[in-house]
């Protein structure tokens, strides 16, 4: 691993990439991120908990590939955020229908000489129309973004991830002498104090761990197909995924 002001970088095959991501996650947790333990090593901002979950979702996994899985996850996290209408679970046509209803109520209230209520409904009608237009435009932008990003941008730039906690990028490099795929994966911790703690913990892991066992997706279907068999137990959250001599 190379360490610089821009982060922690590894060069190697897919296994090296996956292991690097797992080591970063382990170091972040050991530094107190996402922990409810008051005796954790740091007073990491509680807001980092959600950011850690986002990072855990994005980081490359052993069963994934760069072109398919990481590309899709990168496009998703880079996509335009949801607007008010989408967050409310409303489609554009639903908001347009509601806007029409509000406008009709406004006309009825004008006929009843209730000008104040008419104005209120008229304003609401405009708000619903604006919300519908916003939702429709965001959906259109996402369709364009997804196509452009996955088919164009990843040919020109590395796959990237960025939130309040972590910034990361991964790209494929030239193949090795054995013709195996090679990658460059760099991860930076955005909080300087936390980055120092992560750096120290990564150094400790290098000394403590002889061989790192990467996480793999558990296939319980085969076990469940055998009569009387039970799927393997899940490891405890704090159970180390590494071995030492």
């Amino acid at each position: 691993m190379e360490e610089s002001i821009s982060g922690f970088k590894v060069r190697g095959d897919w296994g090296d990439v996956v292991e690097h991501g797992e080591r970063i996650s382990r170091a972040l947790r050991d530094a107190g991120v996402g922990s409810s333990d008051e005796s954790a090593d740091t007073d990491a901002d509680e807001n980092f908990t959600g950011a850690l979950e986002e990072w855990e979702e994005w980081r490359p996994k052993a069963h994934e590939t760069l072109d398919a899985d990481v590309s899709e996850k990168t496009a998703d996290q880079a996509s335009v955020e949801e607007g008010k209408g989408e967050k409310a679970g409303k489609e554009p046509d639903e908001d347009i229908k509601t806007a029409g209803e509000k406008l009709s109520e406004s006309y009825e209230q004008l006929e009843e000489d209730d000008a104040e209520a008419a104005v209120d409904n008229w304003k609401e009608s405009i708000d619903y129309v604006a919300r519908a237009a916003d939702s429709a435009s965001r959906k259109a932008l996402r369709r364009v973004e997804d196509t452009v990003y996955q088919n164009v941008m990843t040919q020109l730039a590395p796959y990237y991830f960025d939130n309040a906690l972590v910034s990361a990028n991964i790209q494929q490099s030239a193949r090795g002498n054995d013709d195996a795929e090679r990658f460059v994966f760099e991860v930076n911790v955005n909080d300087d104090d936390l980055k120092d703690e992560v750096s120290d913990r990564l150094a400790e892991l290098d000394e403590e761990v002889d061989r790192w066992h990467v996480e793999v997706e558990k296939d319980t279907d085969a076990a469940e197909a055998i009569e009387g068999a039970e799927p393997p137990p899940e490891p405890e959250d704090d159970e180390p995924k590494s071995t030492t001599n």
Side-chain angles (χ1 to χ4, degrees):
M1 184 189 73
E2 305 169 25
E3 182 176 347
S4 68
I5 191 172
S6 60
F8 309 99
K9 180 189 295 185
V10 294
R11 304 171 189 272
D13 59 23
W14 190 249
D16 296 320
V17 165
V18 173
E19 177 179 334
H20 187 51
E22 290 182 0
R23 283 175 178 258
I24 294 291
S25 292
R26 170 70 176 274
L28 285 167
R29 292 187 183 280
D30 288 351
V33 178
S35 173
S36 58
D37 184 359
E38 294 180 358
S39 64
D41 292 340
T42 186
D43 294 326
D45 191 335
E46 291 182 359
N47 292 331
F48 284 161
T49 300
L52 178 62
E53 292 174 356
E54 293 173 355
W55 155 250
E56 291 282 23
E57 172 64 26
W58 180 86
R59 67 175 174 81
K61 313 295 193 303
H63 63 279
E64 296 178 340
T65 64
L66 183 69
D67 292 339
D69 303 284
V70 178
S71 174
E72 181 179 350
K73 290 190 292 185
T74 301
D76 287 344
Q77 72 96 28
S79 183
V80 173
E81 294 182 356
E82 289 187 338
K84 292 181 179 179
E86 294 172 305
K87 289 179 179 178
K90 299 297 183 181
E91 293 293 328
D93 56 347
E94 293 180 88
D95 278 344
I96 289 294
K97 180 181 178 181
T98 303
E101 293 171 352
K102 292 293 181 182
L103 192 59
S104 295
E105 291 177 14
S106 178
Y107 282 123
E108 291 174 2
Q109 286 156 343
L110 280 176
E111 292 175 355
E112 297 170 359
D113 293 328
D114 190 351
E116 184 176 349
V119 169
D120 288 341
N121 276 306
W122 178 71
K123 288 180 179 178
E124 284 189 56
S125 175
I126 292 177
D127 288 341
Y128 278 109
V129 170
R131 197 170 81 167
D134 177 74
S135 297
S137 63
R138 287 174 187 271
K139 288 177 181 291
L141 279 173
R142 286 194 201 97
R143 284 195 292 270
V144 173
E145 272 188 332
D146 188 63
T147 300
V148 171
Y149 188 87
Q150 293 203 50
N151 296 309
V152 179
M153 291 305 296
T154 53
Q155 306 300 317
L156 306 174
Y159 301 85
Y160 69 92
F161 173 86
D162 182 57
N163 68 12
L165 178 63
V166 170
S167 299
N169 66 83
I170 179 173
Q171 56 187 317
Q172 190 167 353
S173 62
R175 291 179 177 269
N177 295 331
D178 57 357
D179 201 37
E181 289 184 315
R182 291 289 184 269
F183 305 89
V184 179
F185 186 28
E186 184 172 51
V187 183
N188 190 36
V189 177
N190 295 325
D191 181 89
D192 290 339
D193 293 335
L194 184 57
K195 181 176 179 179
D196 289 340
E197 293 189 58
V198 168
S199 175
D200 292 341
R201 185 61 184 130
L202 289 173
E204 291 171 358
L205 287 173
D206 277 339
E207 295 178 0
E208 295 173 1
V209 180
D210 178 55
R211 184 178 61 178
W212 188 274
H213 293 290
V214 300
E215 297 178 5
V216 294
E217 201 173 34
K218 294 179 175 62
D219 184 3
T220 59
D221 292 341
E224 291 172 346
I226 302 174
E227 185 177 356
E230 295 183 359
E234 293 286 341
E236 297 295 331
D237 290 341
D238 58 352
E239 181 180 336
K241 302 177 179 63
S242 55
T243 59
T244 58
N245 283 339

